[in-house]
Amino acid sequence: MEQSQRARLRAGDRNAMGELFDAHAQAVYAYALRALGDRAAAEDAVSMTFLEAWRLRAKLHEGDEGLRPWVFGIATNVLRNTARAARRHRAALERLGEHEPVDDFAEELVARIDAGAELAAVRRALPALRRSEREVFRLCVWVGLDYASAAEALGIPVGTVRSRLSRARARLRSLVEKDLVERREPAAVPGQVGESGFRAARSMQGEIR
């Protein structure tokens, strides 16, 4: 019987590692680019993610499960450890006049969905979330992982994923409402601010399960 990809990775099969890279590198790059806002830093994050995957291959448990949650769990740890370096790198490029602006998640939604002021407010509000809430939001909304896969990626219970995503939604809704009021852009329906942004995000990746 042919060995599973997990078993081949655990055994140090470099072809299996190449297959893993081919299958997930583009998605990891998009994830890192949205988080860091810099192409060079995102490329570095991809390299570090798969170097870490190779280093940690022996810790993979046996089985036939897909490796996507494992890869994005590693990518999330890489982003935690490199965010400050990426900001320094971006600032250096800006000082040199070489920085090319990159659209972030909400700006992409504005361009594709044309939801206007509300999604712009979501973009402004995202940095105010706790890191743990941003990570769940990114994995569930940006990457499109379901609750179980996000839980596996982060090493937390499914219920924690649900609660963190719920808090992120509520916090964003509150911040967006406040932002729109301050900018004199009233929401169409009180208490529903931010819902169009979440619906738009889900339409890009499919309904979160």
Side-chain angles (χ1 to χ4, degrees):
M1 179 181 290
E2 184 179 352
Q3 286 184 307
S4 71
Q5 189 177 25
R6 281 178 177 262
R8 290 165 59 209
L9 280 171
R10 283 167 54 88
D13 186 332
R14 292 183 179 274
N15 289 330
M17 190 65 204
E19 292 167 9
L20 186 75
F21 182 89
D22 291 342
H24 301 292
Q26 285 297 322
V28 171
Y29 174 77
Y31 177 53
L33 181 61
R34 286 169 172 170
L36 301 174
D38 183 275
R39 287 186 171 89
E43 290 171 359
D44 289 344
V46 172
S47 297
M48 287 186 283
T49 294
F50 288 96
L51 284 171
E52 276 293 283
W54 181 252
R55 187 179 69 84
L56 297 171
R57 66 190 184 279
K59 295 184 178 181
L60 267 174
H61 62 76
E62 296 180 0
D64 297 320
E65 300 94 335
L67 291 168
R68 185 177 174 87
W70 181 67
V71 170
F72 277 96
I74 294 172
T76 298
N77 284 330
V78 166
L79 291 177
R80 287 175 186 169
N81 295 331
T82 61
R84 290 182 180 178
R87 286 195 294 269
R88 290 196 297 269
H89 179 69
R90 184 165 58 247
L93 289 177
E94 288 173 346
R95 287 195 296 271
L96 291 172
E98 297 175 358
H99 180 62
E100 181 180 353
V102 177
D103 289 345
D104 67 11
F105 166 66
E107 289 169 341
E108 179 184 346
L109 289 180
V110 170
R112 293 181 60 179
I113 310 299
D114 192 26
E118 188 170 318
L119 283 177
V122 171
R123 176 185 58 79
R124 291 188 292 270
L126 279 172
L129 297 182
R130 294 177 179 176
R131 186 186 72 183
S132 60
E133 294 166 355
R134 287 198 304 271
E135 289 174 351
V136 168
F137 184 88
R138 288 169 178 167
L139 289 173
C140 290
V141 179
W142 290 2
V143 179
L145 297 186
D146 59 28
Y147 292 128
S149 296
E152 181 181 344
L154 295 172
I156 59 178
V158 172
T160 302
V161 172
R162 292 178 181 273
S163 62
R164 288 181 182 177
L165 186 59
S166 178
R167 287 197 301 271
R169 288 169 55 92
R171 179 65 173 153
L172 279 176
R173 187 176 299 116
S174 175
L175 290 169
V176 167
E177 181 173 295
K178 180 180 178 182
D179 182 277
L180 292 178
V181 169
E182 290 177 349
R183 292 170 183 271
R184 299 184 180 180
E185 294 280 353
V189 181
Q192 295 298 314
V193 178
E195 287 298 331
S196 65
F198 291 111
R199 287 196 298 270
R202 288 189 176 189
S203 73
M204 293 172 62
Q205 298 290 352
E207 185 71 17
I208 298 170
R209 295 178 294 280

